[in-house]
Amino acid sequence: MKNNNINIHFLGAAGTVTGSKYLVDTGDKKILIDCGLFQGLKELRLKNWEYPPVKVSEIDMVLLTHGHMDHTGYLPRLIKHGFNGPIYGTNPTLDIAKIILNDSAKIQEQEAERANKEGYSKHSPAEPLYDLKDVENTIPHFKAIPQSQWIPLFDGIKARFQYNGHILGATFIELDVHGKRFVFSGDIGRINDLLLYPPLKPKKTDVLFIESTYGGRFHPDEAEAIPQIEKLVNDTINRGGSLFIPSFSVERAQLMMLIFWRLLKENKIPKVPMIMDSPMGESVLKLFHSTRDWHKLEAHECDDMCSYFTVVSSYRETMELVRDNKPKIVIAGSGMLTGGRMLNYLEKQAQNPNNTLLFVGYQAEGTRGRKLLEGEKELKVYGKWVPFKMEVAEIEGLSAHADHTELLDWLSEIQGKPEKIFIIHGEKEAAQALKKGIKETYGWDCDIPELYSVENV
């Protein structure tokens, strides 16, 4: 087979941040890299309901870079559409995917039930994109693979999963197709992260796919973010308010717990109730204990940190806390306010100007989080518009994504000039900024593919 017969189908995270899906069609084999859910803009979310522009039953396998929703959240739909092959990822990635998919299905079931009960959906009846049974049908396809080892997939085709920071289990994927090397960056982590080690770097690639979430943007140092958090906590608590942190339940939530715990130990913030309201977050905390080689935390640190927090799992506990107006710190999903228990808190607490809503991660275009950051004064929750009067703060230094400088540095050990570079997983301006940065730094030309485009490589 000739190498130039390989086609790449950009099925997601092309021209946008979410919905990562890249189909490598070698002519006789079809390999899907990531299988994420579209989030944010309604026009993108509606694509989750559409049949993909490829024949799903012909896909041979799925390779996952990491467990986040925008990289794994479409898997149950893929199964429903006829996919019947293996789904490969590292052990932590598959564990996180199980947690996230079950949580997502449960939330969708609950929201559909509530929409039907309260009559605010345009659909009759409202249905979840997928349910817990669909997730149950997905999990048996999971196959764990070790990191940093070449794994034969088919005759002449092999893959290797390399440590990439970002979250537990996250990797970039090297795919060797008859001697031609493809590198899929996944989401690249930070060089200096309180919880995770620096990402490894690719040494060789013929065709490179690199994320651009923070292209053109520069994070302040993580150490600079800690005093900002300290001030936010003290200012909010002193005026009688509560601090609410919508957070991805994987890694960001644990990082925030670690920061608050250390500030409390050093007597830099008052002793108020600290809440981790996320069944998924609780499951991930357990995962930190069983994945010692993936992160920096000592076992005793994990135990001590958890002892300071009330970890909420039941919905009944959530509703009790929602109605409690005493000052507290609450970490809950979801990170971009696309769903999750943080919406329950905001439904009741958004009108209190003494409260603070703190964003510590990326807010995709079209999400509630992005709209609030841009100054929106109303919040749509469960079909109702809620006046929004809370203080809004954003601290970028805590992002799990590499910034512009770190993205460029990640390319620094590649030997020779790649034949093709595709800039993916970024909004238009971010992708353009990274394209310019790569050209100025390395002299390499890059393409920014459009959604559903097909490229021959």
Side-chain angles (χ1 to χ4, degrees):
M1 191 191 78
K2 294 180 181 178
N3 286 337
N4 61 3
N5 287 338
I6 299 171
N7 286 321
I8 308 296
H9 297 252
F10 292 88
L11 304 178
T16 185
V17 175
T18 63
S20 287
K21 299 180 205 72
Y22 310 102
L23 184 68
V24 181
D25 183 352
T26 71
D28 59 350
K29 297 297 177 187
K30 294 180 173 67
I31 300 168
L32 185 65
I33 310 295
D34 283 338
C35 190
L37 209 63
F38 286 109
Q39 298 170 298
L41 295 171
K42 186 176 181 179
E43 65 199 64
L44 288 174
R45 297 198 312 271
L46 289 174
K47 294 184 185 300
N48 293 321
W49 294 89
E50 299 171 2
Y51 188 89
V54 295
K55 195 165 182 181
V56 169
S57 60
E58 293 180 355
I59 298 173
D60 293 287
M61 64 173 53
V62 179
L63 310 181
L64 300 176
T65 60
H66 67 288
H68 269 152
M69 178 68 76
D70 60 330
H71 293 257
T72 66
Y74 192 78
L75 286 169
R77 290 290 288 187
L78 200 74
I79 301 291
K80 289 182 82 167
H81 287 318
F83 173 74
N84 196 35
I87 299 167
Y88 290 105
T90 63
N91 265 311
T93 288
L94 297 182
D95 286 340
I96 288 166
K98 288 176 195 174
I99 294 166
I100 281 181
L101 292 177
N102 276 300
D103 189 72
S104 169
K106 193 172 181 180
I107 288 171
Q108 288 179 62
E109 286 181 355
Q110 289 171 345
E111 289 188 354
E113 184 181 348
R114 182 168 180 173
N116 289 324
K117 185 179 177 181
E118 299 181 12
Y120 61 77
S121 174
K122 295 177 184 176
H123 306 281
S124 183
E127 294 180 351
L129 185 66
Y130 52 81
D131 57 24
L132 287 165
K133 182 65 179 174
D134 295 323
V135 175
E136 189 181 317
N137 293 335
T138 303
I139 304 304
H141 293 263
F142 286 4
K143 309 290 180 191
I145 50 89
Q147 60 172 315
S148 299
Q149 293 182 26
W150 283 105
I151 309 296
L153 303 178
F154 304 104
D155 185 30
I157 302 176
K158 60 184 179 178
R160 183 166 64 172
F161 293 62
Q162 299 272 52
Y163 187 94
N164 213 23
H166 187 58
I167 67 168
L168 291 176
T171 58
F172 66 88
I173 294 176
E174 297 171 302
L175 182 67
D176 201 298
V177 181
H178 304 289
K180 191 163 194 168
R181 179 73 53 83
F182 296 78
V183 172
F184 296 85
S185 75
D187 286 356
I188 301 165
R190 309 292 305 280
I191 293 173
N192 296 304
D193 190 291
L194 287 176
L195 282 178
L196 303 176
Y197 301 107
L200 298 178
K201 300 177 185 179
K203 304 288 193 296
K204 173 191 172 185
T205 181
D206 296 304
V207 184
L208 173 67
F209 303 77
I210 181 168
E211 65 117 328
S212 58
T213 312
Y214 276 92
R217 295 172 67 181
F218 303 88
H219 298 316
D221 190 273
E222 216 168 45
E224 294 176 26
I226 311 298
Q228 295 176 51
I229 293 171
E230 178 187 338
K231 185 176 188 305
L232 265 178
V233 173
N234 283 306
D235 288 351
T236 303
I237 301 303
N238 287 341
R239 64 174 181 256
S242 294
L243 180 65
F244 296 94
I245 305 98
S247 179
F248 300 106
S249 297
V250 184
E251 207 270 333
R252 284 304 90 179
Q254 291 74 39
L255 175 63
M256 295 310 298
M257 289 176 69
L258 180 65
I259 289 170
F260 289 130
W261 170 60
R262 287 180 175 171
L263 287 172
L264 190 63
K265 272 205 317 178
E266 295 164 7
N267 296 314
K268 290 183 176 178
I269 60 174
K271 193 168 186 179
V272 295
M274 297 201 290
I275 316 294
M276 156 66 90
D277 191 341
S278 168
M280 184 160 58
E282 183 180 16
S283 300
V284 174
L285 282 172
K286 292 175 183 173
L287 192 57
F288 264 78
H289 286 284
S290 60
T291 54
R292 284 286 307 115
D293 53 336
W294 285 88
H295 64 83
K296 299 175 182 177
L297 269 190
E298 298 291 341
H300 72 87
E301 287 183 293
C302 228
D303 292 336
D304 291 351
M305 177 177 79
C306 292
S307 70
Y308 279 89
F309 276 79
T310 299
V311 180
V312 174
S313 55
S314 80
Y315 191 67
R316 180 185 56 78
E317 289 178 276
T318 298
M319 297 317 293
E320 288 175 3
L321 286 164
V322 161
R323 292 186 288 268
D324 176 20
N325 293 318
K326 294 174 187 170
K328 56 188 166 295
I329 295 169
V330 179
I331 303 169
S334 70
M336 295 187 286
L337 297 180
T338 53
R341 294 194 181 184
M342 184 53 74
L343 293 183
N344 296 111
Y345 288 94
L346 295 184
E347 187 179 20
K348 299 293 183 186
Q349 296 289 335
Q351 296 184 58
N352 184 348
N354 292 327
N355 293 333
T356 301
L357 184 65
L358 169 61
F359 291 106
V360 293
Y362 186 78
Q363 304 300 307
E365 189 179 7
T367 59
R368 291 183 183 91
R370 179 71 158 261
K371 290 174 182 176
L372 290 175
L373 274 178
E374 290 172 348
E376 191 145 309
K377 296 302 180 187
E378 277 190 313
L379 181 69
K380 194 174 186 181
V381 183
Y382 304 125
K384 295 177 289 190
W385 286 99
V386 178
F388 187 85
K389 299 178 181 178
M390 297 169 72
E391 181 180 325
V392 177
E394 180 185 27
I395 296 178
E396 288 190 2
L398 300 171
S399 172
H401 282 273
D403 70 1
H404 187 82
T405 303
E406 291 167 318
L407 289 169
L408 293 175
D409 178 71
W410 189 77
L411 303 172
S412 63
E413 295 181 13
I414 292 175
Q415 298 158 14
K417 179 183 177 181
E419 294 173 21
K420 278 273 190 181
I421 300 173
F422 295 106
I423 296 180
I424 53 171
H425 201 285
E427 292 172 12
K428 185 178 178 181
E429 288 181 5
Q432 291 285 0
L434 185 61
K435 177 179 180 175
K436 183 170 182 281
I438 291 174
K439 180 67 174 178
E440 289 174 349
T441 306
Y442 298 101
W444 300 342
D445 292 314
C446 304
D447 293 322
I448 303 174
E450 293 182 2
L451 187 61
Y452 299 148
S453 63
V454 181
E455 297 280 347
N456 180 267
V457 292

